[in-house]
Amino acid sequence: MGEVNGFHKLAKKHNWKRPNDLRGISLMNRAARSVMTEYEDIVLGYGQSDEYSFVFRREAEVFQRRSVKIITTLVSKFSSAYVFYWNEYFPEIKLLYPPSFDGRMVLYPTDKNLKDYLCWRQADCHINNLYNTTFWTLVQEGKLSNTEAEQRLSGTLSADKNEILFSEFGINYNNEAQVFRKGTVLVQNKRTRRNHDKQSTNELGLEVRSKDFQNITELNSDIIGDKFWEENPHILLGNPVPNSNQSADAGLKKSIRATTSETKTID
């Protein structure tokens, strides 16, 4: 699995909307789709906050499985696509500097380890978004300073934050957009991509193969429960995760319901 990070500074420097800027999220997703269009061995992408994770097929032989080669080309493709499509999502905002992103490769030994990691990232998405939504509502609508808002939320649980949003500002957190609460899941079509690439010839008469962008499905669905994995068994190579995972799922959901304010805030 490859992971790309590095959006925090970019968002702050370009004054993105807080707590979430849909333009920035959409641009991040567009760059991720470019990566997955280029590398058919990536079966799933998951993006939230300031990170994007890419899951490769277990049998992938891309670059002879050289981790350094894989992550450097992946980050390079992501970065170039991000810059290339910037004006489509921020036509009124000039890109102030050439952005850069860092990445890492991780080899998970089992499907269960991989699923647990992705479930943890989605749980993290919820925890951070609930905190940031409450924090910035207190600042923007409640007129508190950043320090006052931070102190107000110190030691609070998720139920406390939901109560603040609803009782003081009339906001039902469950009605917030799922892309903010759950992140974005990109799923590669389980059919072999090569069979669906489009062929044509260029002005020199040479055959050109263009990637089929439609083979990638974008979702904002729950990946902590079993439904998503049952509907997309090809991601885990058709090897179902044992039912013992249900206890892990329950633990993740419990941590979501009862989390403190120890989260990362986009300031």
Side-chain angles (χ1 to χ4, degrees):
M1 189 203 73
E3 182 178 301
V4 179
N5 299 275
F7 304 92
H8 182 87
K9 175 184 174 183
L10 194 70
K12 186 174 182 180
K13 188 71 174 180
H14 291 84
N15 296 316
W16 287 6
K17 297 177 182 177
R18 296 159 172 164
N20 297 293
D21 195 315
L22 189 57
R23 299 168 302 174
I25 295 173
S26 299
L27 175 57
M28 182 170 70
N29 292 338
R30 182 63 179 82
R33 289 174 73 99
S34 293
V35 171
M36 293 180 65
T37 301
E38 182 72 21
Y39 301 106
E40 62 188 39
D41 280 323
I42 297 176
V43 293
L44 179 142
Y46 178 68
Q48 64 100 4
S49 186
D50 61 346
E51 64 184 50
Y52 230 104
S53 301
F54 297 96
V55 177
F56 286 80
R57 294 186 306 115
R58 185 182 295 276
E59 305 92 341
E61 294 295 338
V62 59
F63 300 125
Q64 292 77 52
R65 300 178 70 89
R66 289 177 290 164
S67 61
V68 174
K69 181 73 171 181
I70 294 172
I71 195 61
T72 53
T73 54
L74 189 152
V75 173
S76 175
K77 180 65 178 181
F78 189 97
S79 301
S80 61
Y82 197 91
V83 173
F84 185 82
Y85 293 110
W86 174 272
N87 287 337
E88 290 188 15
Y89 298 90
F90 293 97
E92 76 288 358
I93 300 178
K94 181 181 178 180
L95 189 59
L96 299 178
Y97 64 90
S100 61
F101 305 96
D102 63 89
R104 63 172 182 148
M105 289 296 295
V106 180
L107 181 61
Y108 289 101
T110 68
D111 291 339
K112 182 181 184 300
N113 294 141
L114 174 62
K115 181 187 173 185
D116 285 348
Y117 170 80
L118 292 169
C119 292
W120 168 53
R121 299 320 301 141
Q122 187 167 73
D124 185 68
C125 174
H126 165 82
I127 293 169
N128 287 328
N129 188 66
L130 176 58
Y131 180 91
N132 287 326
T133 298
T134 311
F135 177 90
W136 287 110
T137 299
L138 287 170
V139 172
Q140 295 168 350
E141 298 185 29
K143 307 305 179 183
L144 298 185
S145 66
N146 287 15
T147 300
E148 291 171 335
E150 186 175 353
Q151 292 174 344
R152 174 76 187 278
L153 294 177
S154 178
T156 58
L157 304 179
S158 60
D160 302 319
K161 300 180 185 69
N162 274 288
E163 180 62 23
I164 290 173
L165 289 173
F166 187 76
S167 63
E168 298 184 25
F169 304 99
I171 297 173
N172 185 336
Y173 180 74
N174 290 327
N175 293 334
E176 293 294 294
Q178 289 198 55
V179 65
F180 302 148
R181 295 186 290 118
K182 298 181 182 295
T184 301
V185 183
L186 299 179
V187 180
Q188 189 81 268
N189 192 304
K190 64 182 177 181
R191 292 173 295 179
T192 302
R193 283 278 308 284
R194 293 187 183 89
N195 294 336
H196 300 278
D197 287 354
K198 302 173 183 177
Q199 298 183 22
S200 60
T201 56
N202 62 15
E203 62 274 15
L204 298 178
L206 301 175
E207 184 180 279
V208 177
R209 186 182 296 274
S210 60
K211 301 294 184 179
D212 186 353
F213 200 67
Q214 300 303 315
N215 274 323
I216 301 171
T217 301
E218 183 173 319
L219 306 169
N220 304 115
S221 56
D222 175 74
I223 60 174
I224 295 177
D226 293 328
K227 183 179 179 181
F228 171 81
W229 303 99
E230 292 170 352
E231 293 176 345
N232 299 278
H234 63 288
I235 295 173
L236 298 179
L237 309 175
N239 299 320
V241 178
N243 289 334
S244 60
N245 257 7
Q246 292 177 356
S247 61
D249 295 343
L252 282 167
K253 291 176 180 178
K254 182 178 180 181
S255 70
I256 289 175
R257 290 193 298 269
T259 178
T260 66
S261 58
E262 295 301 320
T263 59
K264 53 184 177 184
T265 306
I266 298 178
D267 52 8

